[in-house]
């Protein structure tokens, strides 16, 4: 089955082999390939990182889908416990003193995607969404293990706290204040994830640990 090119004729700006020669296409790609890129251009709206982890993808996925493991590999998320709402956990983000973070884990075993839907201060609007995917490394790198990708999108709430009255104290820093450091900070956390999984897998011990708080207080 083939698409009729005439169905795309009214859409401006498409570059397709039917209308754009190879030399023109190469020239356009060279224009888009710069020797250096401003941080804002690369990470201003989306922040994506990735790494290889020498651990089977099924085990990596199983570790990530259990949200309490965030206490191990993230820099600052700690003390998660059930919130009382099914599937919603609450803990502390120690980036800011006395700041609660709410988190719901949404996982798809077929695609091996794990999304963390989070927010500071309240659990009704989970707008901070961390999108992770586990890819079998033999498929994409020709080597054992997994490739893990992690993407954040810059929701408007990063620029302005939508619930200022819920902050633990006046003048508390806001999570969006750290956006320009997301690439660096998440790279550090990906390194933590890689180190934990590779260490346990190489040692032949389970990569998963039970949650410290299995029931709500």
């Amino acid at each position: 089955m083939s698409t009729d090119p005439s169905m795309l004729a009214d859409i401006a700006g498409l570059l397709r082999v039917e209308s754009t020669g190879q030399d023109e296409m190469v020239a356009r790609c060279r224009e888009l390939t710069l020797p250096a890129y401003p941080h804002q251009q690369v990470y201003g709206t989306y922040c994506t990182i990735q790494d290889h982890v020498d651990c089977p993808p099924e085990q990596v996925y199983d570790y990530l889908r259990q949200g309490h493991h965030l206490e191990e590999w993230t820099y600052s998320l700690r003390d998660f416990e059930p919130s009382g709402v099914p599937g919603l956990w609450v803990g502390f983000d120690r980036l800011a003193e006395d700041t609660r973070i709410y988190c719901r884990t949404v996982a798809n075993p077929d695609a091996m995607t794990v999304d963390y839907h989070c927010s500071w201060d309240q659990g009704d609007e989970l707008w901070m969404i961390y999108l992770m995917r586990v890819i079998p490394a033999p498929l994409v790198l020709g080597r054992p293990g997994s490739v893990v990708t992690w993407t954040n999108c810059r929701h408007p709430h990063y620029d302005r706290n939508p619930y200022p009255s819920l902050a633990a104290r006046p003048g508390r820093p806001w999570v969006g204040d750290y956006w320009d450091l997301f690439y660096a900070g998440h790279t550090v956390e990906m390194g933590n994830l890689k180190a934990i999984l590779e260490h346990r897998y190489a040692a032949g011990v389970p990569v998963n640990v039970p949650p410290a708080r299995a029931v709500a207080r």
Side-chain angles (χ1 to χ4, degrees):
M1 183 172 64
S2 179
T3 300
D4 182 354
S6 66
M7 298 179 66
L8 304 172
D10 295 335
I11 302 176
L14 300 185
L15 301 181
R16 306 178 74 243
V17 69
E18 291 83 1
S19 60
T20 305
Q22 186 177 33
D23 290 344
E24 184 180 351
M25 182 62 177
V26 170
R28 177 58 177 152
C29 289
R30 292 191 185 282
E31 291 176 3
L32 295 172
T33 304
L34 307 179
Y37 298 83
H39 182 92
Q40 180 67 19
Q41 180 177 335
V42 180
Y43 301 113
T45 305
Y46 310 98
C47 180
T48 296
I49 65 171
Q50 57 285 315
D51 205 351
H52 173 265
V53 179
D54 190 8
C55 181
E58 295 80 12
Q59 293 190 42
V60 176
Y61 167 78
D62 195 47
Y63 180 88
L64 289 173
R65 75 172 182 84
Q66 300 182 60
H68 66 275
H69 288 131
L70 289 164
E71 294 187 14
E72 291 196 326
W73 64 271
T74 67
Y75 171 72
S76 60
L77 304 187
R78 300 293 185 268
D79 301 325
F80 277 108
E81 62 184 12
S83 69
V85 176
L88 183 67
W89 287 63
V90 59
F92 287 95
D93 191 338
R94 295 187 182 173
L95 276 179
E97 186 178 355
D98 296 326
T99 293
R100 286 289 200 173
I101 185 166
Y102 292 78
C103 182
R104 183 185 302 278
T105 303
V106 180
N108 182 321
D110 295 326
M112 287 198 290
T113 58
V114 179
D115 301 336
Y116 302 110
H117 295 233
C118 305
S119 66
W120 277 14
D121 303 327
Q122 52 79 40
D124 294 324
E125 183 185 4
L126 303 177
W127 59 271
M128 298 163 51
I129 302 180
Y130 301 78
L131 307 164
M132 304 190 76
R133 180 175 181 179
V134 182
I135 305 162
L139 291 177
V140 293
L141 292 180
R143 58 187 292 198
S146 309
V147 172
V148 178
T149 67
W150 175 4
T151 296
N152 275 85
C153 303
R154 190 168 186 168
H155 191 285
H157 289 349
Y158 277 113
D159 295 324
R160 177 178 167 274
N161 183 354
Y163 304 100
S165 64
L166 300 180
R169 64 187 185 283
R172 182 201 62 184
W174 179 234
V175 62
D177 298 342
Y178 302 101
W179 178 270
D180 287 344
L181 300 176
F182 268 32
Y183 172 79
H186 290 176
T187 297
V188 169
E189 292 180 318
M190 182 75 86
N192 290 344
L193 176 68
K194 176 181 173 73
I196 292 168
L197 291 170
E198 291 185 346
H199 173 82
R200 290 178 179 165
Y201 176 64
V205 301
V207 299
N208 295 328
V209 298
R213 297 163 184 82
V215 296
R217 291 175 179 170

